[in-house]
Amino acid sequence: MTDVEVEEADLSEGEDGEDGGRRRILGAFADFVTEVIRILFSEVVGYRLSRARRRLRILGILALAFFVFGLLASAVWLLVGVVFLVERFPSTADPLVFAAGGVVGYLVAVVAGLVYTG
């Protein structure tokens, strides 16, 4: 077995009876003030984090909207280009229309997935 040393403390109010009571009250008051400051600080930090999270969410939604509109615009330009090429080179009509349909379908699926998960 190991020996454990224990220090004994004098709990009697002996010489500083009234002083000891004041120190305990002041200590309790200091603990209370410290706890109130900690709570207020954590509330302020939580509020600021919440506000930052909202701003980031709004920026993410704006970026997603810009990306979606860019994809849709590229699909429209692809279709315009296909129509232009089909008018110039009629023999390429079937493969170009098929490829454009596939690309536009894929872009619409990507946009739908982004909007659904966003």
Side-chain angles (χ1 to χ4, degrees), residues 64-81:
L64 178 65
F66 181 75
F67 185 67
V68 165
F69 287 134
L71 282 176
L72 292 176
S74 67
V76 169
W77 278 110
L78 176 70
L79 293 176
V80 168

Side-chain angles (χ1 to χ4, degrees), residues 58-92:
I58 290 170
L59 287 175
I61 290 170
L62 289 175
L64 178 65
F66 181 75
F67 185 67
V68 165
F69 287 134
L71 282 176
L72 292 176
S74 67
V76 169
W77 278 110
L78 176 70
L79 293 176
V80 168
V82 166
V83 169
F84 176 77
L85 285 175
V86 167
E87 285 180 357
R88 294 280 178 143
F89 308 104
S91 61
T92 62

